[in-house]
Amino acid sequence: MLAACGLASADELFSQIPAEARLQRPLALADGISEYEIVDYFKSLAAQNANGYASFLGAGVYNHYRPVVVDTVVSRGEFLTSYTPYQSEISQGTLMTIFEFQTMVCQLTGMDVANASMYDGSTAIPEAAMMAERITGRHKALVARSAHPEYREVLATYARNQGMQIEEFGFDRATGQIDFADLESRLDKETACVIIQSPNFFGIVEDAKKAAAMAHAAGALLVFTFTEAASLGILEPPRDADIVAGELQSFAISPSYGGPFAGIMAAKEKYVRQLPGRLVGESKDSEGNRAFCLTLATREQHIRREKATSNICTNQALIALMATVYMELYGKRGLRELAEQNLAKAHYLGSKVKPLFSGPYFNEFAAVPAKPVEEINAQLLEKKIIGGLPLAKFYPELGNAVLLCATEMTKRADMDALAEVMA
Amino acid sequence: MSYPETYRYTKEHEWVHLENGIATVGITDHAQSELGDIVYVDLPKPGATVQTGQSFGSVESVKAVSDIYAPVAGEVIAANDDLATAPEKLNEDPHGAAWLIRVKVADGTDLGNLMNAADYESYIGAEH
Amino acid sequence: MIRKVRQHLSQNESLIFERSSPGKIGYQLPDLDVPAVDAAAALGAASVRAEIEGFPEVSEVEVIRHFTRLSTWNYAIDLGMYPLGSCTMKYNPRINEAVARIEGLAWAHPYQPESLSQGAMEVIGRLEAALCEITGLDAVTLQPAAGAHGELTGILLVRAALEARGNPRKKILVPDSAHGTNPATAGIAGYSVQNVASNDQGMIDIEHLAGLVDDDVAALMVTNPNTLGVFESNIAQAAEILHSKGAMIYMDGANMNALVGVARPGDFGVDVMHINLHKTFSTPHGGGGPGGGPVAVAKHLEPYLPVPRLKRMKDALAWDFDRPGSIGKVKAFYGNFGVMVRALAYILAHGGPGLRNATVDAVLNANYIRHKLRDFFDLPYDRPNMHEVVFSDDRQAAKGVRTGDIAKRLIDYGFHPYTVSFPLIVHGALMIEPTETESKDELDLFIDAMISIAKEVDEQPETLKNAPHMTRTRRVDEVTAARKPILRWK
């Protein structure tokens, strides 16, 4: 092949790189290793992580059962090793799965349109806030302090450089719900959107209808977010919101030390042209058969460049496919039963460990143990139980409180053991 | 398609027709043909003001967006709502039914620096 | 009801909603070991939904068949060559998938105690170190989720460093050959964009650049090799021009597959760059993600990297959140960890010498294609290329056949099309990136297909204008899709 290229040696392939820019030594990386050694190495690393522990951690990443069928589907090379479906004639498989994903996200959230996915819930929030800015022409976002702390941090990073002002409003210390008086006092003519999470970071269900009414009265939009998608199997969807931006990790996406997950972005029909990210639409091919394709691409970076709605390009297609398979397997009845089981488990735990807040909760809640939480959690580790998340790191005002989560995977015996240590 | 004698034309391929202080603005047949199938038209709402030479909206084909520039300054008194549901009209009748906006211009607005039909036709001929 | 309306091996497939019938289920849950709870009592009647309107009800086997049938409508690397320029569609080794699913890694919770996360943290530490060595830069963050996200992170780092000096500046320079994400990123980071022209060799025009760089310029975003597949041989000079005015050089690492083991951006003046794990380091594209967009920086930008940073203590790894100069978080938790595991497995499998060999093969393959096709397609920038080569459709356009038509016809020959009409500085571009994955046999098949198509242009151009002819789905009406968007099933 070198000869066909008129070259005498492989080094000549790089003659256009000036000598001083070339690496004159081998990379200081070990030689390649075999497949067996690779498996062995990663198994040894995995052994240094938690193995065989019961866990009460939630806080945005949930431990739900992952049906075997999900991996069967996403391991197919036709899904795993294809690119973004720009060539619709040979991408109908991916396009149809995304169309189903968009549809089910709408059904789940009560919105009219949804995109093909965002990186995750945390990055979907600033995208939603920027979208609200474009729609309203205003530059302030009010975000609930009871929304996920890391989501708020990501929002702050994005906002800082765009002249977007971020203000937090508080929560009621008795119920754990939005402090509506505080919210109302901060709404003004500069407010582009109000961002709330439900169930919120403390697992408490919020009154989205009231938040929407308050935001709309001030000419602002309501951005609704969620980290626990399983709650939407039983909770009224946020029909009054303008934009819904959340996280589907609960739907067959393993915790994987924090990613990759699948964010969603959905909205009212009239805002479709302000949505970031990819959209799949239905059409017909030249023989009149139903066919799907990427559409409304003029919103995106490869066409509008610096005026695009977002710079997002690669999203989370394969992870969104996991959630799609899960939603179809569980379906209408399964998601309901899943939600009921989560509710039952958490409320059993709540009967043993008194919740800190009085508001209604889904599958997690804050509680204050009798002894320092570090001491409690160390004691639990000895019983092979990972306790809840200490809240002081994110909420110093909550002191010794801990966030506890129970899902359909949580066993009664482990809850009894936890309650005993925490008492 | 012919270029009406009563219109004036810009280098950015907009046309303007001034009658009784009201300027009707559209894009030329040449522009629509370069863009191909138009799928979306973004126009200002009545009451907005436009400035000469400034972008006031955009037209989109499947894979391109083009800004539209105002040939005159003034207040928008009407936008062509039909284009929201039937953008294809812009391909079919760019000089007629598919006008974009009507602008109330200041007295004494002068279109003298714009091209007439003959000049515009030789301008687009030279572009090729 | 499924009807077989066209000839092919598998069935047509309807949308899942059309297969749904009430009462069918495809899931199993264990019996509750705690008392059931009345939802309306626990949550308030107004908070409880009646049902998820329209949600499907199907059995497990129907789900399996549905997705298996849909999968047969896709092209994929596993089926053949995927020469999409700038996308680096290389083979995705299955060992990477296997190790990413090991329970202790796949089920690690991001908030579990550090003492029980040492294995996961070691993956992150080792990948950061390997990427530092590969890029020749001093520190790496693995937090960004994809290339464009890495770009944003990188430009925010530039901004933070300039702000610390007293002035964030106003402009980012972007060559006219750049990916669309570059100007979009600059806009989102609060900068205006100024284009830099390419010279007649397809490279940054250094004189033009020198004239543009002033105290308002924060950085130049440059892809190297650029989107023509050409190494910007005066990159060091460009870096000098920028540095002399206090500005920085950001490298878009989308084309890093041409450089690994051969040249390091840190050695030719780059201050900050992103890497696409889903391109250079073989993590699967998955139909459009997930990705991984690590950002590598020179020492002077390290204080601004996102929190937390991994810290090696005496006998353990720890997360350091106390970084006062940090731009903050760009994503919750630590990044797309599952993607990092796969990329590290790729690096370990290849080792230093293997990574360099991959680069050599990728560049050789692209040059081979250039030599074999140069007599049939116009080469607007006729010079040695790196990992990809860009032709123009000028000769074919004379017969009314455009790059998009040639691409669609290529499908009939069993290949995925190349990248169409990009970069924008080439009229009717055909951008071809074979990667190191393809053998000479596969390359020759591709080359034969392209030559055959070039002949068809002369003999039967109409065949191309309606291509593809062999696919189950024919050309899709994208105009109607955009005019009357149907974005969900109803």
mmCIF file of all heavy atoms in Angstrom, chain C residues 308-332:
data_model
loop_
_atom_site.group_PDB
_atom_site.id
_atom_site.type_symbol
_atom_site.label_atom_id
_atom_site.label_comp_id
_atom_site.label_asym_id
_atom_site.label_seq_id
_atom_site.Cartn_x
_atom_site.Cartn_y
_atom_site.Cartn_z
ATOM 1 N N PRO C 308 -15.100 17.766 41.064
ATOM 2 C CA PRO C 308 -13.900 17.602 41.900
ATOM 3 C C PRO C 308 -12.712 17.120 41.069
ATOM 4 O O PRO C 308 -12.899 16.637 39.952
ATOM 5 C CB PRO C 308 -14.341 16.510 42.872
ATOM 6 C CG PRO C 308 -15.275 15.658 42.055
ATOM 7 C CD PRO C 308 -16.007 16.602 41.147
ATOM 8 N N ARG C 309 -11.504 17.248 41.643
ATOM 9 C CA ARG C 309 -10.297 16.696 41.022
ATOM 10 C C ARG C 309 -9.853 15.472 41.797
ATOM 11 O O ARG C 309 -9.964 15.437 43.029
ATOM 12 C CB ARG C 309 -9.165 17.736 41.043
ATOM 13 C CG ARG C 309 -9.455 18.981 40.247
ATOM 14 C CD ARG C 309 -9.386 18.741 38.755
ATOM 15 N NE ARG C 309 -8.073 18.282 38.312
ATOM 16 C CZ ARG C 309 -7.881 17.478 37.275
ATOM 17 N NH1 ARG C 309 -8.919 17.017 36.590
ATOM 18 N NH2 ARG C 309 -6.673 17.124 36.934
ATOM 19 N N LEU C 310 -9.336 14.508 41.069
ATOM 20 C CA LEU C 310 -8.832 13.307 41.725
ATOM 21 C C LEU C 310 -7.475 13.627 42.341
ATOM 22 O O LEU C 310 -6.643 14.269 41.708
ATOM 23 C CB LEU C 310 -8.685 12.189 40.690
ATOM 24 C CG LEU C 310 -8.589 10.784 41.233
ATOM 25 C CD1 LEU C 310 -9.881 10.391 41.932
ATOM 26 C CD2 LEU C 310 -8.306 9.802 40.097
ATOM 27 N N LYS C 311 -7.286 13.167 43.572
ATOM 28 C CA LYS C 311 -6.052 13.484 44.295
ATOM 29 C C LYS C 311 -5.469 12.172 44.796
ATOM 30 O O LYS C 311 -6.178 11.347 45.359
ATOM 31 C CB LYS C 311 -6.431 14.377 45.484
ATOM 32 C CG LYS C 311 -5.345 15.273 45.972
ATOM 33 C CD LYS C 311 -5.865 16.406 46.865
ATOM 34 C CE LYS C 311 -6.708 15.922 48.043
ATOM 35 N NZ LYS C 311 -6.988 16.980 49.027
ATOM 36 N N ARG C 312 -4.161 11.962 44.560
ATOM 37 C CA ARG C 312 -3.517 10.756 45.088
ATOM 38 C C ARG C 312 -2.972 11.058 46.473
ATOM 39 O O ARG C 312 -2.036 11.821 46.632
ATOM 40 C CB ARG C 312 -2.393 10.296 44.161
ATOM 41 C CG ARG C 312 -2.884 9.287 43.155
ATOM 42 C CD ARG C 312 -1.790 8.704 42.278
ATOM 43 N NE ARG C 312 -2.408 8.285 41.011
ATOM 44 C CZ ARG C 312 -3.021 7.111 40.829
ATOM 45 N NH1 ARG C 312 -3.070 6.219 41.806
ATOM 46 N NH2 ARG C 312 -3.583 6.824 39.676
ATOM 47 N N MET C 313 -3.580 10.450 47.498
ATOM 48 C CA MET C 313 -3.088 10.610 48.862
ATOM 49 C C MET C 313 -2.047 9.517 49.088
ATOM 50 O O MET C 313 -1.746 8.741 48.179
ATOM 51 C CB MET C 313 -4.234 10.469 49.867
ATOM 52 C CG MET C 313 -5.471 11.279 49.506
ATOM 53 S SD MET C 313 -5.184 13.046 49.518
ATOM 54 C CE MET C 313 -5.339 13.311 51.282
ATOM 55 N N LYS C 314 -1.572 9.431 50.306
ATOM 56 C CA LYS C 314 -0.504 8.481 50.597
ATOM 57 C C LYS C 314 -0.897 7.045 50.189
ATOM 58 O O LYS C 314 -0.196 6.385 49.451
ATOM 59 C CB LYS C 314 -0.152 8.522 52.088
ATOM 60 C CG LYS C 314 1.292 8.142 52.347
ATOM 61 C CD LYS C 314 1.727 8.611 53.725
ATOM 62 C CE LYS C 314 2.102 7.388 54.552
ATOM 63 N NZ LYS C 314 1.670 7.431 55.916
ATOM 64 N N ASP C 315 -2.051 6.601 50.662
ATOM 65 C CA ASP C 315 -2.383 5.214 50.342
ATOM 66 C C ASP C 315 -3.784 5.054 49.740
ATOM 67 O O ASP C 315 -4.352 3.981 49.741
ATOM 68 C CB ASP C 315 -2.249 4.337 51.596
ATOM 69 C CG ASP C 315 -2.887 4.988 52.802
ATOM 70 O OD1 ASP C 315 -3.588 6.008 52.594
ATOM 71 O OD2 ASP C 315 -2.708 4.508 53.926
ATOM 72 N N ALA C 316 -4.322 6.144 49.251
ATOM 73 C CA ALA C 316 -5.655 6.039 48.646
ATOM 74 C C ALA C 316 -5.899 7.217 47.701
ATOM 75 O O ALA C 316 -5.187 8.225 47.742
ATOM 76 C CB ALA C 316 -6.729 6.028 49.732
ATOM 77 N N LEU C 317 -6.907 7.058 46.882
ATOM 78 C CA LEU C 317 -7.344 8.160 46.020
ATOM 79 C C LEU C 317 -8.478 8.892 46.720
ATOM 80 O O LEU C 317 -9.265 8.288 47.440
ATOM 81 C CB LEU C 317 -7.829 7.608 44.686
ATOM 82 C CG LEU C 317 -6.731 7.010 43.799
ATOM 83 C CD1 LEU C 317 -7.333 6.075 42.750
ATOM 84 C CD2 LEU C 317 -5.941 8.123 43.117
ATOM 85 N N ALA C 318 -8.543 10.213 46.482
ATOM 86 C CA ALA C 318 -9.598 11.002 47.136
ATOM 87 C C ALA C 318 -10.101 12.045 46.150
ATOM 88 O O ALA C 318 -9.405 12.420 45.200
ATOM 89 C CB ALA C 318 -9.045 11.681 48.379
ATOM 90 N N TRP C 319 -11.334 12.508 46.363
ATOM 91 C CA TRP C 319 -11.869 13.598 45.560
ATOM 92 C C TRP C 319 -11.608 14.914 46.258
ATOM 93 O O TRP C 319 -11.886 15.075 47.442
ATOM 94 C CB TRP C 319 -13.374 13.433 45.342
ATOM 95 C CG TRP C 319 -13.712 12.353 44.359
ATOM 96 C CD1 TRP C 319 -14.370 11.188 44.617
ATOM 97 C CD2 TRP C 319 -13.404 12.351 42.964
ATOM 98 N NE1 TRP C 319 -14.484 10.447 43.460
ATOM 99 C CE2 TRP C 319 -13.905 11.129 42.432
ATOM 100 C CE3 TRP C 319 -12.736 13.240 42.106
ATOM 101 C CZ2 TRP C 319 -13.765 10.792 41.083
ATOM 102 C CZ3 TRP C 319 -12.608 12.895 40.759
ATOM 103 C CH2 TRP C 319 -13.114 11.690 40.264
ATOM 104 N N ASP C 320 -11.083 15.873 45.505
ATOM 105 C CA ASP C 320 -10.773 17.192 46.053
ATOM 106 C C ASP C 320 -11.802 18.198 45.525
ATOM 107 O O ASP C 320 -11.826 18.496 44.330
ATOM 108 C CB ASP C 320 -9.349 17.585 45.618
ATOM 109 C CG ASP C 320 -8.944 18.946 46.154
ATOM 110 O OD1 ASP C 320 -9.714 19.516 46.963
ATOM 111 O OD2 ASP C 320 -7.869 19.437 45.754
ATOM 112 N N PHE C 321 -12.650 18.679 46.428
ATOM 113 C CA PHE C 321 -13.677 19.654 46.031
ATOM 114 C C PHE C 321 -13.227 21.085 46.307
ATOM 115 O O PHE C 321 -13.880 22.036 45.915
ATOM 116 C CB PHE C 321 -14.986 19.382 46.793
ATOM 117 C CG PHE C 321 -15.697 18.136 46.344
ATOM 118 C CD1 PHE C 321 -15.399 16.900 46.899
ATOM 119 C CD2 PHE C 321 -16.654 18.200 45.334
ATOM 120 C CE1 PHE C 321 -16.052 15.754 46.477
ATOM 121 C CE2 PHE C 321 -17.316 17.046 44.905
ATOM 122 C CZ PHE C 321 -17.017 15.819 45.479
ATOM 123 N N ASP C 322 -12.113 21.203 47.008
ATOM 124 C CA ASP C 322 -11.685 22.530 47.464
ATOM 125 C C ASP C 322 -10.757 23.161 46.429
ATOM 126 O O ASP C 322 -9.540 23.139 46.566
ATOM 127 C CB ASP C 322 -10.983 22.385 48.815
ATOM 128 C CG ASP C 322 -10.631 23.744 49.393
ATOM 129 O OD1 ASP C 322 -11.244 24.741 48.964
ATOM 130 O OD2 ASP C 322 -9.730 23.807 50.251
ATOM 131 N N ARG C 323 -11.359 23.662 45.375
ATOM 132 C CA ARG C 323 -10.582 24.246 44.274
ATOM 133 C C ARG C 323 -11.161 25.625 43.976
ATOM 134 O O ARG C 323 -12.005 25.774 43.082
ATOM 135 C CB ARG C 323 -10.717 23.365 43.027
ATOM 136 C CG ARG C 323 -10.430 21.878 43.279
ATOM 137 C CD ARG C 323 -9.026 21.506 43.013
ATOM 138 N NE ARG C 323 -8.618 21.862 41.665
ATOM 139 C CZ ARG C 323 -7.383 21.704 41.204
ATOM 140 N NH1 ARG C 323 -6.454 21.201 41.988
ATOM 141 N NH2 ARG C 323 -7.082 22.051 39.969
ATOM 142 N N PRO C 324 -10.726 26.627 44.690
ATOM 143 C CA PRO C 324 -11.362 27.946 44.611
ATOM 144 C C PRO C 324 -11.357 28.567 43.201
ATOM 145 O O PRO C 324 -12.247 29.343 42.861
ATOM 146 C CB PRO C 324 -10.552 28.803 45.585
ATOM 147 C CG PRO C 324 -9.461 27.951 46.130
ATOM 148 C CD PRO C 324 -9.654 26.547 45.685
ATOM 149 N N GLY C 325 -10.375 28.211 42.371
ATOM 150 C CA GLY C 325 -10.322 28.812 41.039
ATOM 151 C C GLY C 325 -11.193 28.113 40.014
ATOM 152 O O GLY C 325 -11.350 28.583 38.884
ATOM 153 N N SER C 326 -11.793 26.974 40.388
ATOM 154 C CA SER C 326 -12.498 26.128 39.423
ATOM 155 C C SER C 326 -13.670 26.837 38.742
ATOM 156 O O SER C 326 -14.356 27.649 39.361
ATOM 157 C CB SER C 326 -13.012 24.877 40.151
ATOM 158 O OG SER C 326 -13.936 24.191 39.334
ATOM 159 N N ILE C 327 -13.902 26.470 37.492
ATOM 160 C CA ILE C 327 -15.075 26.993 36.780
ATOM 161 C C ILE C 327 -16.363 26.389 37.333
ATOM 162 O O ILE C 327 -17.454 26.801 36.976
ATOM 163 C CB ILE C 327 -15.024 26.712 35.255
ATOM 164 C CG1 ILE C 327 -14.896 25.206 34.979
ATOM 165 C CG2 ILE C 327 -13.872 27.477 34.617
ATOM 166 C CD1 ILE C 327 -15.155 24.824 33.529
ATOM 167 N N GLY C 328 -16.261 25.392 38.190
ATOM 168 C CA GLY C 328 -17.444 24.718 38.747
ATOM 169 C C GLY C 328 -17.652 23.387 38.062
ATOM 170 O O GLY C 328 -16.752 22.860 37.419
ATOM 171 N N LYS C 329 -18.841 22.856 38.216
ATOM 172 C CA LYS C 329 -19.135 21.573 37.579
ATOM 173 C C LYS C 329 -19.735 21.799 36.190
ATOM 174 O O LYS C 329 -20.518 22.726 36.009
ATOM 175 C CB LYS C 329 -20.150 20.788 38.420
ATOM 176 C CG LYS C 329 -19.585 20.209 39.704
ATOM 177 C CD LYS C 329 -20.597 19.345 40.408
ATOM 178 C CE LYS C 329 -20.449 17.895 40.087
ATOM 179 N NZ LYS C 329 -19.199 17.250 40.407
ATOM 180 N N VAL C 330 -19.379 20.964 35.217
ATOM 181 C CA VAL C 330 -20.045 21.035 33.912
ATOM 182 C C VAL C 330 -21.040 19.889 33.751
ATOM 183 O O VAL C 330 -21.812 19.841 32.799
ATOM 184 C CB VAL C 330 -19.051 21.043 32.731
ATOM 185 C CG1 VAL C 330 -18.202 22.307 32.766
ATOM 186 C CG2 VAL C 330 -18.173 19.798 32.721
ATOM 187 N N LYS C 331 -21.027 18.966 34.692
ATOM 188 C CA LYS C 331 -21.931 17.808 34.650
ATOM 189 C C LYS C 331 -21.977 17.235 36.056
ATOM 190 O O LYS C 331 -20.990 17.329 36.784
ATOM 191 C CB LYS C 331 -21.371 16.769 33.667
ATOM 192 C CG LYS C 331 -22.256 15.566 33.445
ATOM 193 C CD LYS C 331 -21.618 14.606 32.445
ATOM 194 C CE LYS C 331 -22.494 13.396 32.223
ATOM 195 N NZ LYS C 331 -22.819 12.690 33.473
ATOM 196 N N ALA C 332 -23.110 16.647 36.420
ATOM 197 C CA ALA C 332 -23.214 16.040 37.740
ATOM 198 C C ALA C 332 -22.221 14.881 37.858
ATOM 199 O O ALA C 332 -21.880 14.236 36.865
ATOM 200 C CB ALA C 332 -24.637 15.531 37.977
#
